[in-house]
Amino acid sequence: MTQALYRRYRPETFADVIGQEHVTAPLQQALRTGRVNHAYLFSGPRGCGKTTSARILARCLNCDQGPTDNPCGTCESCVALARGGAGMVDVVEIDAASHGGVDDARELRERASYGPAQSRYKIYIIDEAHMVTTQGFNALLKIVEEPPEHVKFVFATTEPEKVIGTIRSRTHHYPFRLVPPAQLHTYLESLCQSEGVAVEPGVLSFVVRAGGGSVRDSLSVLDQLIAGSGPEGLTYEGAAALLGFTDAELLDATVTAIGHGDAAEAFAQVDKVIETGLDPRRFVEDLLERLRDLIICAAVPDGVEAVLRGVPTDQIERMRVQAGAFGPGGLSRAADIVNAGLSDMTGATAPRLQLELIIARLLLPGAAGPQGYAARLDRLERRLDLAAAHPSPTGGGASGPAPSRPAQPGPMPPGSTAPAPSPSAPQSAPTQPPPTQSVAAPSATPAAEPSAAPSAAQSPAQPEAGPTHAPPVHAAPAAPTPTPPAPAEPVQPTQSSQPTAGGLDQAAIIRAWPDVVDWLARNKRVTWAFVSENAQPLSFDGSRLVLAITTEGLTETFRRGAHHAFVQEAFMEVLGIDIRVEGVAAGDAPDAGRSGGPV
Ligand SMILES: [Zn+2]
């Protein structure tokens, strides 16, 4: 039976420790100059070489030629402390997880007072030092504070903050770090070479990722792969399957589908993920990793190979094409979505659903593709609803009964007629005659106002809407400088009925307001509190929504703060329309309704 890789390749000198030069270099320097402290604290993540370095330090200190930064390797001490060596009685390793109590500490203190048996120093390596109890530390305090000449301590721990301050302050603290992927990759490559193992491109990247920056973990993974490999060595497929990484083809297909906005294909890939038993969370991690790679591909057209080490060339070619389909903006946006989705997946009970949601979100903006996109449909339906709601039979309540349940296809869900708390307010405040009112009678009073309006008709969203509604209401808060002149002017009203943003007119926007407020309540609490108390939609001209805000001061707040941006965002989320939102003090824009009641 062969010995585990990480034991066979355990470094015996500081020069062999990889990725910790920031620690090993100063330690070697201290050894060279004879400025060795009597106590050290080695902290850092697991499997990064803390204990190994402690042993090397012991070897350096006790070498016959030492203390030296480069142990001779031939003297009795060096041989005994080499890997596979018998060890020395004077170098004591204590696992504080099992021996961290006060009695163990007392015993240690006792024994430390005797001089070393064979070596220069008696060296205590206390592993998992954070497990030493407080009483244990207190028992050690004295000897760590003023140790006998011949005693050295090395505390190794993943949680240095749990080592009591009085001990910590007596030590020289060396923080170990995770090994950077590139360095680990190179190391694994050389190791495979010396083991005579053939490795397909891409395999070591998996190993590095699986190892998470820990040398020991990476070597364990590699060990396992080698153990299960045949004469052909480490294959990409075998590694992907064993380590549970998403096979590149699956990622390729998914990313390509998303890039092209092909919903059917993208969801088909999700099915595959589930069918093949892949962990959805792992898949999302891999997807994020891939998007990261694509961002790099897009950002560094030349020399990607140098950055994405270990990625096969043909794979890089494919990724270039994929990156092109997204465009740089799309890529970073996609990465954001996946990243957010990944955090939502933590502890999620329905990971598959989460995965599908992520995919749906990724697909949303790419307006391409006729099918799929539940969320997009959702928005479209909402908009249709709003438009369909136009022929409201009850003229007066027109804007009140906003279809609060957007999903409902019916033009006017019965239940929804009841004016919701906030929605009912809007019309009442600015003007009693809600804009939609006139809509009710398609033929009735088309001529009433400016004739320009009809242009609206081309949007399917509001077939009957066009002609009639051009109540002066819209006119009011024309621009940032809301002044009286506007009201009567015929031109402005017409604008308002022009369906620009998503084919929605002012009436539709007002009907949608409760949903927007609702979204804010769920997503932007502060803005919701502000808006639901102080703001009402006043007018909408197709691209700009003006909100009437109760006071001048609050209007200022609205303009300066993020509120208006969040309201815009809400419209984007709820209706999928990109509009500008402005606020005017209610007092400033009275003309809107007060003066020119349309009816
Ligand atoms: Zn030696």
Side-chain angles (χ1 to χ4, degrees), residues 59 62-66 68 71-79:
R59 206 162 176 247
N62 278 349
C63 175
D64 277 357
Q65 319 289 319
T68 167
C72 73
T74 51
C75 70
E76 195 188 342
S77 164
C78 279
V79 171

PDB file of all heavy atoms in Angstrom, residues 59 62-66 68 71-79, ligand 1:
ATOM      1  N   ARG A  59      13.336  21.123  13.103  1.00  0.00           N
ATOM      2  CA  ARG A  59      14.465  20.482  12.438  1.00  0.00           C
ATOM      3  C   ARG A  59      15.633  21.471  12.286  1.00  0.00           C
ATOM      4  O   ARG A  59      16.803  21.112  12.500  1.00  0.00           O
ATOM      5  CB  ARG A  59      13.992  20.007  11.061  1.00  0.00           C
ATOM      6  CG  ARG A  59      14.745  18.858  10.494  1.00  0.00           C
ATOM      7  CD  ARG A  59      13.940  18.196   9.374  1.00  0.00           C
ATOM      8  NE  ARG A  59      14.729  17.141   8.765  1.00  0.00           N
ATOM      9  CZ  ARG A  59      15.202  17.174   7.513  1.00  0.00           C
ATOM     10  NH1 ARG A  59      14.946  18.218   6.759  1.00  0.00           N
ATOM     11  NH2 ARG A  59      15.907  16.178   7.043  1.00  0.00           N
ATOM     12  N   ASN A  62      17.263  22.127  15.744  1.00  0.00           N
ATOM     13  CA  ASN A  62      17.976  21.033  16.407  1.00  0.00           C
ATOM     14  C   ASN A  62      19.031  20.357  15.544  1.00  0.00           C
ATOM     15  O   ASN A  62      19.683  19.428  15.989  1.00  0.00           O
ATOM     16  CB  ASN A  62      16.969  19.984  16.900  1.00  0.00           C
ATOM     17  CG  ASN A  62      16.370  20.387  18.225  1.00  0.00           C
ATOM     18  OD1 ASN A  62      16.853  21.330  18.861  1.00  0.00           O
ATOM     19  ND2 ASN A  62      15.320  19.693  18.649  1.00  0.00           N
ATOM     20  N   CYS A  63      19.183  20.831  14.318  1.00  0.00           N
ATOM     21  CA  CYS A  63      20.214  20.249  13.454  1.00  0.00           C
ATOM     22  C   CYS A  63      21.576  20.432  14.106  1.00  0.00           C
ATOM     23  O   CYS A  63      21.854  21.452  14.733  1.00  0.00           O
ATOM     24  CB  CYS A  63      20.189  20.925  12.086  1.00  0.00           C
ATOM     25  SG  CYS A  63      21.507  20.374  10.978  1.00  0.00           S
ATOM     26  N   ASP A  64      22.409  19.420  13.937  1.00  0.00           N
ATOM     27  CA  ASP A  64      23.758  19.485  14.507  1.00  0.00           C
ATOM     28  C   ASP A  64      24.508  20.709  14.014  1.00  0.00           C
ATOM     29  O   ASP A  64      25.310  21.295  14.733  1.00  0.00           O
ATOM     30  CB  ASP A  64      24.554  18.220  14.134  1.00  0.00           C
ATOM     31  CG  ASP A  64      24.225  17.079  15.089  1.00  0.00           C
ATOM     32  OD1 ASP A  64      23.428  17.339  16.036  1.00  0.00           O
ATOM     33  OD2 ASP A  64      24.716  15.959  14.886  1.00  0.00           O
ATOM     34  N   GLN A  65      24.241  21.065  12.759  1.00  0.00           N
ATOM     35  CA  GLN A  65      24.902  22.219  12.160  1.00  0.00           C
ATOM     36  C   GLN A  65      24.200  23.522  12.509  1.00  0.00           C
ATOM     37  O   GLN A  65      24.583  24.567  12.027  1.00  0.00           O
ATOM     38  CB  GLN A  65      24.927  22.101  10.624  1.00  0.00           C
ATOM     39  CG  GLN A  65      25.215  20.735  10.088  1.00  0.00           C
ATOM     40  CD  GLN A  65      26.665  20.348  10.321  1.00  0.00           C
ATOM     41  OE1 GLN A  65      27.567  21.178  10.162  1.00  0.00           O
ATOM     42  NE2 GLN A  65      26.894  19.112  10.735  1.00  0.00           N
ATOM     43  N   GLY A  66      23.162  23.407  13.280  1.00  0.00           N
ATOM     44  CA  GLY A  66      22.299  24.559  13.487  1.00  0.00           C
ATOM     45  C   GLY A  66      22.559  25.307  14.759  1.00  0.00           C
ATOM     46  O   GLY A  66      23.562  25.053  15.417  1.00  0.00           O
ATOM     47  N   THR A  68      20.035  26.550  12.005  1.00  0.00           N
ATOM     48  CA  THR A  68      20.287  26.930  10.626  1.00  0.00           C
ATOM     49  C   THR A  68      18.965  27.107   9.886  1.00  0.00           C
ATOM     50  O   THR A  68      17.951  26.574  10.326  1.00  0.00           O
ATOM     51  CB  THR A  68      21.122  25.836   9.918  1.00  0.00           C
ATOM     52  OG1 THR A  68      21.096  26.080   8.520  1.00  0.00           O
ATOM     53  CG2 THR A  68      20.517  24.469  10.156  1.00  0.00           C
ATOM     54  N   PRO A  71      18.520  22.875   7.179  1.00  0.00           N
ATOM     55  CA  PRO A  71      19.037  21.732   7.933  1.00  0.00           C
ATOM     56  C   PRO A  71      19.864  20.789   7.060  1.00  0.00           C
ATOM     57  O   PRO A  71      19.546  20.603   5.880  1.00  0.00           O
ATOM     58  CB  PRO A  71      17.769  21.050   8.455  1.00  0.00           C
ATOM     59  CG  PRO A  71      16.648  21.582   7.638  1.00  0.00           C
ATOM     60  CD  PRO A  71      17.052  22.941   7.198  1.00  0.00           C
ATOM     61  N   CYS A  72      20.890  20.196   7.665  1.00  0.00           N
ATOM     62  CA  CYS A  72      21.833  19.394   6.893  1.00  0.00           C
ATOM     63  C   CYS A  72      21.192  18.149   6.318  1.00  0.00           C
ATOM     64  O   CYS A  72      21.546  17.682   5.258  1.00  0.00           O
ATOM     65  CB  CYS A  72      23.034  19.034   7.768  1.00  0.00           C
ATOM     66  SG  CYS A  72      22.647  17.777   9.008  1.00  0.00           S
ATOM     67  N   GLY A  73      20.238  17.584   7.048  1.00  0.00           N
ATOM     68  CA  GLY A  73      19.533  16.421   6.512  1.00  0.00           C
ATOM     69  C   GLY A  73      20.267  15.117   6.771  1.00  0.00           C
ATOM     70  O   GLY A  73      19.762  14.044   6.438  1.00  0.00           O
ATOM     71  N   THR A  74      21.443  15.166   7.376  1.00  0.00           N
ATOM     72  CA  THR A  74      22.201  13.928   7.569  1.00  0.00           C
ATOM     73  C   THR A  74      22.459  13.612   9.042  1.00  0.00           C
ATOM     74  O   THR A  74      22.669  12.460   9.398  1.00  0.00           O
ATOM     75  CB  THR A  74      23.569  14.006   6.850  1.00  0.00           C
ATOM     76  OG1 THR A  74      24.207  15.222   7.255  1.00  0.00           O
ATOM     77  CG2 THR A  74      23.398  14.005   5.341  1.00  0.00           C
ATOM     78  N   CYS A  75      22.432  14.637   9.859  1.00  0.00           N
ATOM     79  CA  CYS A  75      22.706  14.377  11.272  1.00  0.00           C
ATOM     80  C   CYS A  75      21.577  13.564  11.895  1.00  0.00           C
ATOM     81  O   CYS A  75      20.506  13.414  11.308  1.00  0.00           O
ATOM     82  CB  CYS A  75      22.914  15.677  12.028  1.00  0.00           C
ATOM     83  SG  CYS A  75      21.397  16.638  12.190  1.00  0.00           S
ATOM     84  N   GLU A  76      21.799  13.086  13.074  1.00  0.00           N
ATOM     85  CA  GLU A  76      20.830  12.210  13.725  1.00  0.00           C
ATOM     86  C   GLU A  76      19.473  12.893  13.869  1.00  0.00           C
ATOM     87  O   GLU A  76      18.428  12.330  13.569  1.00  0.00           O
ATOM     88  CB  GLU A  76      21.369  11.823  15.107  1.00  0.00           C
ATOM     89  CG  GLU A  76      20.635  10.658  15.718  1.00  0.00           C
ATOM     90  CD  GLU A  76      21.085  10.434  17.174  1.00  0.00           C
ATOM     91  OE1 GLU A  76      22.158  10.940  17.553  1.00  0.00           O
ATOM     92  OE2 GLU A  76      20.331   9.785  17.906  1.00  0.00           O
ATOM     93  N   SER A  77      19.524  14.150  14.315  1.00  0.00           N
ATOM     94  CA  SER A  77      18.278  14.886  14.515  1.00  0.00           C
ATOM     95  C   SER A  77      17.548  15.080  13.204  1.00  0.00           C
ATOM     96  O   SER A  77      16.341  14.861  13.107  1.00  0.00           O
ATOM     97  CB  SER A  77      18.593  16.234  15.171  1.00  0.00           C
ATOM     98  OG  SER A  77      17.503  17.094  15.046  1.00  0.00           O
ATOM     99  N   CYS A  78      18.299  15.513  12.186  1.00  0.00           N
ATOM    100  CA  CYS A  78      17.665  15.759  10.890  1.00  0.00           C
ATOM    101  C   CYS A  78      17.003  14.500  10.358  1.00  0.00           C
ATOM    102  O   CYS A  78      15.883  14.551   9.843  1.00  0.00           O
ATOM    103  CB  CYS A  78      18.700  16.243   9.875  1.00  0.00           C
ATOM    104  SG  CYS A  78      19.050  18.001  10.028  1.00  0.00           S
ATOM    105  N   VAL A  79      17.678  13.384  10.462  1.00  0.00           N
ATOM    106  CA  VAL A  79      17.132  12.130   9.955  1.00  0.00           C
ATOM    107  C   VAL A  79      15.889  11.743  10.743  1.00  0.00           C
ATOM    108  O   VAL A  79      14.858  11.363  10.176  1.00  0.00           O
ATOM    109  CB  VAL A  79      18.193  11.007  10.033  1.00  0.00           C
ATOM    110  CG1 VAL A  79      17.555   9.659   9.715  1.00  0.00           C
ATOM    111  CG2 VAL A  79      19.340  11.294   9.073  1.00  0.00           C
TER     112      VAL A  79
HETATM  113 ZN    ZN B   1      21.151  18.218  10.606  1.00  0.00          ZN
END
